[in-house]
Amino acid sequence: LSGGERQRLALAAGAVRARGPALFLLEGPDRGLSAADLPLLTGAMARLAAEGHTLVVASEDERLGPL
């Protein structure tokens, strides 16, 4: 798995295991992701934020701006 794929897998696993608000630190979660799949990632991140989780994202891609 690429670094981005590992982070996306960890994001999904953490979301499933979280019993309360969790902190997710993501560096380049969009790395290697196709433009068509980017909305899936941002949607998942927005849902986590709406559920009360905190996401800290480091990315050079401006499309991952504020959720």
Side-chain angles (χ1 to χ4, degrees):
L1 296 174
S2 72
E5 289 169 328
R6 282 193 302 268
Q7 286 191 76
R8 289 187 290 277
L9 181 59
L11 177 66
V16 169
R17 288 192 309 258
R19 299 192 190 278
L23 171 64
F24 294 91
L25 304 173
L26 306 169
E27 181 197 14
D30 55 321
R31 190 175 328 145
L33 193 63
S34 72
D37 289 334
L38 188 62
L40 298 173
L41 174 63
T42 56
M45 291 167 53
R47 282 190 299 280
L48 287 170
E51 292 172 4
H53 302 291
T54 300
L55 290 92
V56 178
V57 181
S59 175
E60 296 177 10
D61 192 330
E62 294 177 0
R63 296 174 295 176
L64 289 180
L67 300 173

